[in-house]
């Protein structure tokens, strides 16, 4: 729901402090008077009031290095003394984004503000996980903010088709990642930055922001979240468009048209002989000799089983460290490297999913 901001549009970066104020609840009569003062003159004159307030489109509290107790040991030392890590409040306006730091005292400090059009998604990127084989190319610019705006840094790309990375330390843009189709959401952890498109997921290394892997077999959701995913500390879950029996794991829901794990194993055992026979038919076809009784239509029908219609409600969970680079494809021809789980969760499309903070528990709906 949109609401109103207490500030007018501004293009300044940081420096503003807003002191806490006591909450005063208006009486019913005061609310009516305020409504009449704001609406009635505009209805008669046809012109908006002279002082326009900007509209807040979305609000989210963000976790970042600044308020991460695992990275800032001083929070452990002062815990219990009335001092707590500050809240990071991210506010999306119709013409930009604003980030506020709110300590326990309640004095809100503006940390960042950019006004170059509507912002669809934004995330504060945590400091990456460093190893001897990997160095951070942006260590002097961190913390970084990833923003998907209606107008990209180049000014020529289609709306919402690029991710601009800003330095919260200097306020400058340090990198831009371009796409050909609109972006719908951003997710990040200490390993990767995940860009969510309508039916595709692209993951980038958190140190270099080079492409690491991508998924093109996502099932589109009819709800507001067109491509729901969940990113934990290491695992990535997304809605798959097909159920591949050989990769199916335990658990999940079993509808009328979906076999259980046990039934799948029994079915696979029964069809081993048929599968071996079909391999022999395909080999003889490639050598130019078809056995008696085997038609080209029969072999074509068997190979077309992979082109079955999309199935809703399937979830795939992959390990972002072992899945490798390039395209992640769950198919009968692919191995199971990097696949943590693959199961039917519902009979209808997946709307949302999430890991708990530890990354060991997973919920979906």
């Amino acid at each position: 729901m949109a609401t109103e901001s207490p500030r007018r549009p501004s293009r300044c970066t940081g420096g503003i402090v807003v002191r806490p104020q006591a909450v005063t609840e208006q009486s019913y009569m005061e609310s009516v008077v305020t409504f009449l003062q704001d609406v009635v003159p505009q209805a008669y004159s046809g012109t908006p009031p002279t002082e326009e307030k900007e509209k807040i489109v979305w609000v989210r509290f963000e976790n970042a290095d600044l308020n991460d107790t695992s990275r800032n040991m001083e929070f452990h030392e002062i815990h219990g003394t009335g001092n707590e890590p500050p809240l990071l409040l991210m506010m999306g306006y119709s013409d930009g984004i604003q980030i506020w730091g709110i300590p326990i005292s309640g004095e809100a400090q503006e940390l960042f503000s950019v006004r170059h059009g509507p912002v669809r998604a934004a995330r504060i990127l945590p400091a990456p996980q460093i190893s001897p084989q990997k160095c951070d190319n942006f260590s002097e610019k961190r913390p970084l903010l990833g923003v998907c705006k209606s107008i990209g840094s180049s000014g020529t790309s289609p709306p919402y088709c690029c991710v601009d990375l800003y330095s919260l330390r200097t306020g400058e843009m340090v990198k831009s990642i371009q796409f050909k189709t609109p972006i719908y959401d951003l997710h990040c952890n200490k390993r990767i930055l995940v860009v969510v498109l309508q039916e595709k997921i692209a993951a980038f290394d958190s140190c270099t922001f080079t492409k690491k892997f991508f998924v093109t077999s996502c099932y589109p959701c009819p709800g507001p979240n067109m491509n729901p995913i969940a990113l934990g500390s290491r695992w990535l879950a997304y809605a798959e468009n097909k159920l591949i029996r050989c990769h199916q794991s335990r658990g999940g829901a079993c509808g009328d048209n979906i076999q259980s794990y046990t039934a799948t194993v029994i079915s696979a055992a029964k069809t081993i002989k048929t599968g071996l026979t079909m391999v022999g038919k395909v080999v003889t076809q490639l050598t130019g000799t078809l056995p008696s009784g085997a038609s080209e239509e029969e072999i074509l029908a068997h190979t077309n089983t992979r082109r079955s219609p999309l199935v809703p409600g399937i979830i795939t969970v992959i390990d972002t460290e072992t899945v490798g680079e390039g395209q992640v494809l769950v198919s009968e021809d692919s191995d199971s490297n990097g696949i943590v789980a693959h199961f039917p969760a519902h009979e209808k499309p997946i709307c949302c999913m999430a890991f708990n903070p530890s990354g060991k528990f997973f919920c979906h709906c």
Side-chain angles (χ1 to χ4, degrees), residues 110-231:
E110 185 187 44
L111 303 179
F112 185 83
S113 178
V114 60
R115 304 303 174 95
H116 297 297
V119 173
R120 174 172 288 178
R123 293 281 179 176
I124 299 178
L125 279 58
Q129 191 174 38
I130 305 298
S131 64
Q133 297 79 19
K134 183 186 295 185
C135 61
D136 185 7
N137 297 350
F138 299 87
S139 58
E140 297 180 355
K141 304 294 183 180
R142 295 185 187 273
L144 298 180
L145 170 69
V147 180
C148 174
K149 308 190 302 292
S150 60
I151 302 176
S153 57
S154 63
T156 59
S157 60
Y160 303 110
C161 287
C162 73
V163 179
D164 293 335
L165 300 179
Y166 290 89
S167 170
L168 293 181
R169 180 176 296 181
T170 64
E172 63 178 324
M173 191 191 71
V174 297
K175 188 175 180 61
S176 181
I177 306 174
Q178 307 288 330
F179 292 87
K180 295 181 180 179
T181 56
I183 299 167
Y184 287 92
D185 204 356
L186 299 175
H187 294 261
C188 57
N189 59 19
K190 299 175 183 179
R191 292 179 170 87
I192 56 175
L193 167 66
V194 180
V195 181
V196 181
L197 296 92
Q198 182 171 353
E199 297 182 23
K200 180 180 177 180
I201 303 169
F204 297 84
D205 184 84
S206 59
C207 288
T208 61
F209 296 108
T210 56
K211 183 176 288 188
K212 191 172 182 180
F213 63 84
F214 62 96
V215 180
T216 59
S217 56
C218 302
Y219 189 95
C221 176
N225 192 5
M226 300 189 67
N227 190 2
I229 75 164
L231 180 63

Side-chain angles (χ1 to χ4, degrees), residues 299-360:
I299 297 176
L300 184 62
H302 179 77
T303 57
N304 282 343
T305 55
R306 300 176 187 174
R307 302 178 184 178
S308 58
L310 303 186
V311 179
I314 310 300
I315 289 180
T316 298
V317 182
I318 60 176
D319 186 344
T320 60
E321 286 296 296
T322 62
V323 75
E325 298 182 353
Q327 183 177 9
V328 178
L329 182 62
V330 182
S331 66
E332 296 177 0
D333 298 330
S334 63
D335 53 29
S336 58
N337 291 339
I339 301 177
V340 178
H342 176 74
F343 59 94
H346 301 284
E347 297 181 5
K348 294 183 179 181
I350 305 297
C351 295
C352 62
M353 56 185 108
F355 288 100
N356 75 327
S358 68
K360 297 180 180 180

Side-chain angles (χ1 to χ4, degrees), residues 31-42:
S31 301
V32 172
V33 172
T34 302
F35 175 78
L36 294 176
Q37 290 176 345
D38 291 342
V39 177
V40 173
Q42 180 180 351

